[in-house]
């Protein structure tokens, strides 16, 4: 008699990789995968082994994977803590026998990995540059995606296919913004995420809609909207003390004596969609790249801020958008800049970190590029530099900004820059696996990576055309947040939306951050305003994503009424407790 009660399911998992399942078997398997971490691990391991047998390039998992797995399994010592303070176990809810099965499968993957594969960005585009993934983790090979939406009749909500981070990682943001007080005397403050205590008063009552913390925790960049004006303001405030950068080889800022609490106005922009609200810090915290839509009708261009210097305009094309930086070593930085148009493209720009750019004249990104990526728009590189989410499709100008039209959708691929002048992502696949893209397509959406370079969130979806949900169900839905993992071979589907009850009816997600745990979301949700004299209200929600019949766990972080969020995570250091 077999000691493994999952033998039958493993046979179905194996058959699913060769499209040998009928509709009923596929539905049974998807339902089982929804609640069984061991079988999800089996699916990931079988898919990986299948690629290896087929001769497809395989890259080993992180060197500390075994320690992380052991730490996760042994992490039950903190079960007395409330859920939002409890670290995630690698195989939550899985008994010792199932954990052993999953561990054996992971060991099989590890033993078959090659240690001779090149690291991310190990080729230098010039003798003066050397790039590597910030975490030192080799670039993964993406699991195979489903063959087509028509061959995937039943999809299930997402659970990561890779182990969780170390068990001492907490889900709370390091900081968040809040606007509180009476309507005629409101104040924006920076709050400490775990405690809610005020760190700093910012002296303004403007409503924040986006925020990002520099990796060294020193500067908080944020976008505020002007009430009824249609104009947004981009600002940055120094909120941390100490070394300007956690990287000892990184050059100091141009003015290391920027006082704590100083706020710099970085520019004004016509309000628009998610493509305009991108704040991108370089991995060494030396640069902030952002996009401004000229209120005078001059189009969109990329601007730069180097803490301690004056902000300056980087591009002068009138249709450029900031995308993301490639994580790299000190001394040089690479930035993806996108140019919108009927057929968009992205261009890689090189910066020598010690040069300073405040005096440089604006450039044409297509003429000054180190490399170009045809037909790709706003590539968002994962924090470790190994993966990238980007857009493909035709664009059309809509007022001050550009949006997508027919045939457009976001994609996921492997990001490995080898110094060539032409770039293409490897192992490209649609981010959403159950959508048929044609006349019905995406116009835009907000997308954000988690710190683990695996989890990601999609929200504020603008969809053109007919719904692709079942009768009475809108899909994609602008009011929902979709949460996925790059390591999940099933891709992102309708059922990857967080529970409908997580966000109060009629409220809307303003900003979403994925916590370092890879299983939690921090969402700022805004209440509709009945009139212009009503104070803006937004709650900051910490959500633990569950699957199947288990409801998500939702914790309201603010205890009073006001505008709370967006939140931000510190990539390198812990925020100081007040």
């Amino acid at each position: 008699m077999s000691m493994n009660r999952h033998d039958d399911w493993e046979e179905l998992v194996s058959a699913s990789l060769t499209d040998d399942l009928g509709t009923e078997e596929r539905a049974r398997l998807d339902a089982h995968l929804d609640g069984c971490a061991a079988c999800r691990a089996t699916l990931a391991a079988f898919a990986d082994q299948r690629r290896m047998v087929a001769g497809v390039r395989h890259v080993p998992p992180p060197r500390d994977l075994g320690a992380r797995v052991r730490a996760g399994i042994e992490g039950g010592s903190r079960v007395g803590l409330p859920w939002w303070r409890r670290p995630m176990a690698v195989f939550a809810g899985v008994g010792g026998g199932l954990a052993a099965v999953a561990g054996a499968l992971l060991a099989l993957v590890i033993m078959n990995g090659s240690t001779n594969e090149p690291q991310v960005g190990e080729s230098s585009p010039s003798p003066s540059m050397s790039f590597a993934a910030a975490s030192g983790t080799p670039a993964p090979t993406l699991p195979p995606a489903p063959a087509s939406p028509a061959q995937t009749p039943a999809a299930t909500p997402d659970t990561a296919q890779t182990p969780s981070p170390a068990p001492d990682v907490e889900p709370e943001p390091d900081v968040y913004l809040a606007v509180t007080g009476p309507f005629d005397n409101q104040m924006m403050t920076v709050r400490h995420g775990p405690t809610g205590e005020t760190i700093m008063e910012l002296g303004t009552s403007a409503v924040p809609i986006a925020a990002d913390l520099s990796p060294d925790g020193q500067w908080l960049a944020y976008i505020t909207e002007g009430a009824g004006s249609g104009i947004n303001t981009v600002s940055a405030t120094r909120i941390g003390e100490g070394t300007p950068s956690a990287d000892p080889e990184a050059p100091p800022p141009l003015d290391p004596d920027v006082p704590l609490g100083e706020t710099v106005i970085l520019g004004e922009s016509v309000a628009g969609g998610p493509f305009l609200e991108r704040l991108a810090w370089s991995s060494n915290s030396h640069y902030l790249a952002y996009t401004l839509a000229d209120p005078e009708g001059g189009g969109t261009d990329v601007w730069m801020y180097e803490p301690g210097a004056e902000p300056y305009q980087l591009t002068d094309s009138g249709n450029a958008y900031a995308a993301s930086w490639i994580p790299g070593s000190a001394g040089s930085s690479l930035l993806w800049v996108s140019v919108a148009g009927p057929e968009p493209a992205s261009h890689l720009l090189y910066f020598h970190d010690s040069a300073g750019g405040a005096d440089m004249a604006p450039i044409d990104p297509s003429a000054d590029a180190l490399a170009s990526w045809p037909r790709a728009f706003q590539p968002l590189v994962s924090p470790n530099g190994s993966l990238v989410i980007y857009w493909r499709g035709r664009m059309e100008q809509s007022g001050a900004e550009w949006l997508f039209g027919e045939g457009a959708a976001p994609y996921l691929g492997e990001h490995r820059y080898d110094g060539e002048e032409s770039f293409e992502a490897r192992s490209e696949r649609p981010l959403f696996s159950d959508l048929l893209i044609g006349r019905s397509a995406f116009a835009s959406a907000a997308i954000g990576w988690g710190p683990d370079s695996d989890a990601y969130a999609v929200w504020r979806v603008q969809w053109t055309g007919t719904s692709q949900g079942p009768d009475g169900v809108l899909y994609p839905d602008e009011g929902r947040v979709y949460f996925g993992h790059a390591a999940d071979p099933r891709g992102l589907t309708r059922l990857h939306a967080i529970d409908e009850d997580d966000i109060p009816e009629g409220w809307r997600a303003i900003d979403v951050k994925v916590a370092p745990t890879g299983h939690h979301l921090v969402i700022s949700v805004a209440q509709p305003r009945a009139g212009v004299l009503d104070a803006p209200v937004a709650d900051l929600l910490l959500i633990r994503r569950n699957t199947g019949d288990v409801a998500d766990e939702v914790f309201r972080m603010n205890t009073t009424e006001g505008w709370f969020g967006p939140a931000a995570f510190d990539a390198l250091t812990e925020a100081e407790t007040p």
Side-chain angles (χ1 to χ4, degrees):
M1 181 176 65
S2 172
M3 297 298 292
N4 182 3
R5 63 187 178 90
H6 287 250
D7 285 346
D8 292 341
W9 294 113
E10 289 180 8
E11 292 181 7
L12 291 178
V13 167
S14 179
S16 72
L17 297 175
T18 56
D19 293 326
D20 289 335
L21 292 183
T23 300
E24 293 184 3
E25 289 177 316
R26 170 73 68 176
R28 285 179 54 225
L29 176 60
D30 284 339
H32 178 73
L33 288 172
D34 179 35
C36 181
C39 286
R40 288 193 298 271
T42 301
L43 174 63
F46 281 10
D48 193 82
Q49 292 299 309
R50 182 175 174 80
R51 283 196 311 277
M52 293 166 59
V53 172
V56 179
R57 178 179 178 273
H58 175 75
V59 180
R63 296 175 182 174
D64 63 345
L65 177 58
R68 287 161 55 185
V69 171
R70 288 191 297 273
I73 295 173
E74 296 167 0
S77 59
R78 303 189 189 184
V79 294
L81 295 176
W83 73 262
W84 61 88
R85 298 291 299 174
R86 190 183 309 149
M88 295 293 295
V90 175
F91 298 107
V94 180
L98 296 183
V101 173
L105 289 166
L106 286 170
L108 183 64
V109 176
I110 294 172
M111 287 188 294
N112 284 277
S114 169
T115 59
N116 298 320
E117 297 292 351
Q119 302 294 303
V120 176
E122 68 176 3
S123 300
S124 299
S126 74
S128 63
M129 293 187 289
S130 176
F131 298 92
S135 68
T137 302
T141 300
L142 289 174
S148 70
Q151 296 176 1
T152 313
T156 55
D158 166 72
T159 298
Q161 301 297 313
T162 55
S164 302
D168 59 350
V169 174
E170 301 291 354
E172 299 97 331
D174 290 283
V175 296
Y176 61 86
L177 293 168
V179 181
T180 56
F183 180 75
D184 58 350
N185 189 29
Q186 291 193 312
M187 173 72 68
M188 185 161 69
T189 56
V190 181
R191 306 289 182 96
H192 182 245
T195 65
E197 298 295 327
T198 296
I199 297 174
M200 184 178 298
E201 294 183 350
L202 299 182
T204 179
S205 61
V207 173
I209 57 174
D212 200 24
L213 191 61
S214 61
D216 61 8
Q218 299 298 301
W219 286 83
L220 181 66
Y222 48 96
I223 300 175
T224 54
E225 63 179 12
S229 68
I231 301 297
N232 292 343
T233 300
V234 184
S235 306
T237 300
R238 183 173 180 183
I239 67 169
E241 295 183 285
T243 305
S245 175
D247 187 342
E249 298 181 2
L254 300 183
D255 181 2
D257 298 322
V258 176
L260 185 69
E262 177 170 307
T263 295
V264 180
I265 304 300
L266 304 182
E268 293 187 335
S269 173
V270 176
F275 298 148
L276 283 176
E277 296 171 6
R278 172 79 179 154
L279 298 168
W281 283 102
S282 61
S283 59
N284 59 9
S285 302
H286 196 80
Y287 305 100
L288 172 71
Y290 54 101
T291 306
L292 296 181
D294 186 359
E296 302 298 326
T300 61
D301 274 299
V302 178
W303 285 66
M304 298 281 286
Y305 177 60
E306 300 177 48
E310 292 295 321
Y312 60 92
Q313 185 175 341
L314 177 65
T315 68
D316 62 355
S317 63
N319 60 346
Y321 289 75
S324 60
W325 298 86
I326 298 180
S329 59
S332 52
S333 298
L334 292 177
L335 171 69
W336 280 113
V337 169
S338 296
V339 175
E343 292 189 359
S346 294
H347 306 284
L348 196 58
L349 304 182
Y350 162 70
F351 298 83
H352 193 280
D353 296 343
S354 62
D359 297 326
M360 68 179 291
I363 63 172
D364 177 354
S366 62
D368 292 80
L370 189 67
S372 294
W373 187 356
R375 301 177 301 282
F377 181 79
Q378 205 166 62
L380 306 181
V381 181
S382 62
N384 68 1
S386 63
L387 299 173
V388 60
I389 297 173
Y390 50 98
W391 292 83
R392 288 200 183 280
R394 294 185 64 81
M395 302 188 76
E396 300 173 354
Q397 194 162 12
S398 176
E401 61 178 331
W402 286 77
L403 299 174
F404 281 97
E406 184 175 335
Y411 287 78
L412 171 67
E414 296 174 16
H415 185 280
R416 293 199 291 275
Y417 175 60
D418 55 10
E420 297 295 328
E421 294 182 359
S422 181
F423 179 88
E424 289 287 343
R426 305 183 188 184
S427 304
E428 176 182 287
R429 74 185 195 201
L431 196 65
F432 286 78
S433 64
D434 61 345
L435 288 172
L436 294 173
I437 303 297
R439 291 189 176 183
S440 295
F442 288 87
S444 69
I447 301 174
W449 280 105
D452 64 355
S453 296
D454 177 36
Y456 58 86
V458 181
W459 70 102
R460 290 178 61 190
V461 172
Q462 294 185 26
W463 177 258
T464 61
T466 59
S467 169
Q468 295 196 15
D471 290 343
V473 176
L474 179 64
Y475 177 63
D477 185 346
E478 185 177 4
R480 304 293 294 276
V481 176
Y482 301 91
F483 183 40
H485 292 80
D488 188 339
R490 295 170 291 170
L492 199 63
T493 71
R494 175 178 62 86
L495 297 181
H496 284 78
I498 64 173
D499 292 349
E500 191 171 9
D501 294 338
D502 290 355
I503 298 177
E505 184 177 358
W507 294 45
R508 58 193 176 94
I510 298 296
D511 183 77
V512 179
K513 295 294 192 303
V514 181
T517 63
H519 299 278
H520 295 80
L521 297 172
V522 181
I523 307 178
S524 184
V525 295
Q527 182 183 39
R529 296 175 68 174
V532 294
L533 296 181
D534 291 337
V537 173
D539 285 347
L540 192 63
L541 305 180
L542 175 61
I543 298 175
R544 176 175 175 175
R545 178 70 173 124
N546 292 319
T547 58
D549 295 332
V550 181
D552 296 341
E553 298 168 70
V554 182
F555 173 66
R556 183 173 178 258
M557 296 188 66
N558 53 294
T559 57
T560 61
E561 190 173 88
W563 182 282
F564 292 88
F569 287 91
D570 183 340
L572 298 180
T573 59
E574 292 292 332
E576 296 181 0
T577 302

